[in-house]
Amino acid sequence: MAQPDHYKTLGVAEGASAEEIKKAYRKLAKRYHPDATGGDKAKEAKFKDLSEAYETLSDDQKRKEYDEIRKNPFAGGMPGGGGFSGGFPGGFPGGFPGGGRSRVRTGGVDINIEDILGQGGFGDIFGGMGGGRRQREAQRGTDIQTALSLTLAEAALGAEKSFTLGPGTSDERKLTVRIPAGVEDGETIRLSGQGRPGPSGGAAGNLLIKVTVLPDATLRRKGADLERDVRISIDKAVLGGAIEVPVVDGGSKEIRLPPGTSSGQKLRLRGFGASDRKGGRGDLYVVVQIDVPKDISAEAKSLIERFAQLTRR
């Protein structure tokens, strides 16, 4: 059986470098990936050929064995047909002298098969061919990539998200995944065995979920710590007092402002930040923003002026 031309499949020269092979595979895989071809069977078959070619040529040892099989004239049987036995008149007359496996006598001449095939003899060729076939049969399925958007609170504390994978394709399926607490924007979550099934019973690939954390108008994240802007009135800033601060856990927590709180001042709520991936929590920093009224009555203006006089230094 003729060996597939992996170089031709990827469109590269036989002497192509590892980087050239990788670049060619990525370009073609993007074009023929099942997620981009809408269930086209011919293109799916092409993608499988590309994956097999890349798996072989990207591995130095597999590529060496593949090149040896392609170049070795014995790989397809000796001239005259019938495999190895047909290539020698009468097969292997007399068997292997002395019980050895590497020499055969034909036409009155001893031939050392290992000298022709290399030190591994028939074992290397048959082992390489059989091993390559088994590797293809046990090849792992391809990975599937998808994206998922989270609120900052979901990323900070973790969440259970349901979504449809491959909508409108023959592979459409619904999944519910648990997003780990503390996931970062741009991070990729890997779900083992949730990718495409491997050919001939091979293990399934992985599902790779790239996370996008949506911006929040009043909440910011710095590692495991969070910052939230909270607007207060002038009288609260001057006199101090208790205010309610929303927290990512849901609901709110009371915090007391000291008298004379300035705009931009930070107050800390311990343990109400994001997960730190070690079972702990960061802190929530409340950033005070003082609301200054634009329209005030004449009486209020008079009182403010009196207040300014009393507090002027």
Side-chain angles (χ1 to χ4, degrees):
M1 182 177 178
Q3 288 286 319
D5 192 335
H6 293 327
Y7 294 102
K8 184 176 180 180
T9 298
L10 292 175
V12 297
E14 292 190 18
S17 66
E19 186 59 32
E20 289 172 330
I21 290 171
K22 183 178 182 180
K23 185 177 180 180
Y25 171 71
R26 285 184 171 179
K27 180 179 178 181
L28 293 170
K30 185 176 181 181
R31 183 191 308 171
Y32 290 102
H33 195 285
D35 286 346
T37 56
D40 188 311
K41 298 301 181 184
K43 291 182 178 180
E44 284 188 12
K46 174 70 173 178
F47 181 75
K48 289 180 181 179
D49 291 342
L50 290 169
S51 298
E52 180 180 335
Y54 181 67
E55 182 189 14
T56 300
L57 299 184
S58 63
D59 184 288
D60 290 342
Q61 185 59 35
K62 291 180 183 178
R63 182 176 180 180
K64 180 181 178 182
E65 293 175 358
Y66 169 74
D67 287 342
E68 289 176 353
I69 293 172
R70 291 183 74 223
K71 295 176 182 179
N72 200 305
F74 294 95
M78 291 292 290
F84 282 93
S85 61
F88 295 100
F92 288 143
F96 299 113
R101 297 185 176 182
S102 61
R103 301 185 68 84
V104 64
R105 186 173 181 81
T106 179
V109 178
D110 282 339
I111 298 176
N112 190 327
I113 301 299
E114 290 183 356
D115 288 343
I116 299 174
L117 303 183
Q119 292 184 350
F122 292 119
D124 276 358
I125 285 189
F126 289 137
M129 292 172 66
R133 188 178 301 113
R134 286 191 296 272
Q135 288 166 354
R136 289 194 296 273
E137 290 173 353
Q139 179 182 343
R140 187 176 69 87
T142 55
D143 294 338
I144 297 176
Q145 296 186 358
T146 191
L148 195 60
S149 296
L150 305 174
T151 66
L152 198 154
E154 288 174 332
L157 301 181
E160 194 173 81
K161 301 288 285 185
S162 297
F163 59 96
T164 300
L165 190 64
T169 70
S170 58
D171 296 325
E172 179 177 331
R173 55 188 164 121
K174 294 186 181 296
L175 287 177
T176 299
V177 298
R178 179 69 192 175
I179 304 300
V183 67
E184 300 277 358
D185 181 56
E187 189 173 345
T188 297
I189 300 171
R190 184 179 67 178
L191 299 181
S192 299
Q194 292 296 325
R196 299 191 181 280
S200 303
N206 301 321
L207 174 60
L208 306 176
I209 305 174
K210 186 173 183 179
V211 170
T212 297
V213 180
L214 301 173
D216 190 292
T218 62
L219 197 60
R220 296 174 296 278
R221 181 175 176 181
K222 296 184 177 181
D225 292 331
L226 300 176
E227 286 187 355
R228 182 182 291 281
D229 292 333
V230 174
R231 311 197 72 83
I232 64 172
S233 61
I234 290 180
D235 59 296
K236 283 285 186 184
V238 174
L239 303 175
I243 61 171
E244 293 290 325
V245 178
V247 293
V248 291
D249 307 66
S252 61
K253 287 289 180 181
E254 184 179 274
I255 188 170
R256 297 199 65 84
L257 299 174
T261 298
S262 302
S263 190
Q265 187 171 335
K266 293 183 180 181
L267 305 170
R268 181 166 61 179
L269 276 173
R270 292 182 182 275
F272 284 92
S275 169
D276 62 7
R277 300 274 183 102
K278 297 179 181 179
R281 292 276 298 273
D283 300 326
L284 172 61
Y285 287 87
V286 178
V287 184
V288 175
Q289 304 293 340
I290 300 174
D291 271 333
V292 179
K294 297 185 182 301
D295 298 316
I296 59 175
S297 66
E299 182 181 4
K301 182 177 180 181
S302 176
L303 292 172
I304 290 291
E305 290 173 345
R306 178 61 178 159
F307 171 79
Q309 291 173 359
L310 294 173
T311 57
R312 186 174 294 131
R313 295 176 182 176

